[in-house]
Amino acid sequence: MKMESEKIKENLKKLLRKFWQKLFLVLILLLVLDFVLGGIFFWQYYLRTKEEKVFLFVQSLKINQALMEKVSGVWVQRETIFESAAEKQYPDPFHGPITATEKVD
């Protein structure tokens, strides 16, 4: 039993050593295979689209005038609220309430 496991380990080491020695060639072969398959798929797609002459026309966009006016009204309301927030004076929690005699710059 011990002899078989040692023999298996030796064979595995030899196999891995051969694989690492040929790794560069295997990677080159796989790269070439990738380029060939990629080229085939690319040309299939290119020829298919060239034969069909697919042209997609975008339909003209129709604007709903009532919806646009509603949205612009809401937009204007939010702008006025935002602008009024800059003018509003908020109390300072660290210094107490603001009195009428104090001036805020």
Side-chain angles (χ1 to χ4, degrees), residues 46-86:
Y46 176 75
L47 293 175
R48 186 177 298 149
T49 57
K50 190 174 181 181
E51 289 173 0
E52 292 176 3
K53 295 183 181 179
V54 177
F55 295 105
L56 299 175
F57 293 103
V58 178
Q59 295 179 353
S60 62
L61 190 63
K62 296 182 180 178
I63 297 174
N64 187 350
Q65 197 69 21
L67 182 61
M68 188 176 78
E69 288 175 5
K70 184 178 177 182
V71 169
S72 64
V74 170
W75 189 274
V76 168
Q77 286 177 351
R78 289 182 181 184
E79 274 186 357
T80 55
I81 292 170
F82 180 71
E83 289 172 0
S84 67

Side-chain angles (χ1 to χ4, degrees), residues 3-61:
M3 292 294 284
E4 289 179 17
S5 64
E6 289 178 8
K7 203 172 199 181
I8 290 174
K9 286 182 184 179
E10 284 181 27
N11 288 338
L12 186 61
K13 285 182 182 180
K14 287 179 184 178
L15 183 65
L16 286 174
R17 187 175 299 127
K18 285 182 183 181
F19 175 75
W20 284 110
Q21 288 173 350
K22 306 288 182 182
L23 181 65
F24 185 71
L25 293 175
V26 170
L27 290 176
I28 297 277
L29 178 69
L30 289 175
L31 183 66
V32 169
L33 183 66
D34 181 42
F35 281 142
V36 168
L37 289 176
I40 290 171
F41 287 129
F42 174 77
W43 279 109
Q44 285 290 329
Y45 175 76
Y46 176 75
L47 293 175
R48 186 177 298 149
T49 57
K50 190 174 181 181
E51 289 173 0
E52 292 176 3
K53 295 183 181 179
V54 177
F55 295 105
L56 299 175
F57 293 103
V58 178
Q59 295 179 353
S60 62
L61 190 63

Side-chain angles (χ1 to χ4, degrees), residues 80-97:
T80 55
I81 292 170
F82 180 71
E83 289 172 0
S84 67
E87 299 169 357
K88 195 172 183 181
Q89 294 182 359
Y90 294 98
D92 189 2
F94 301 106
H95 295 111

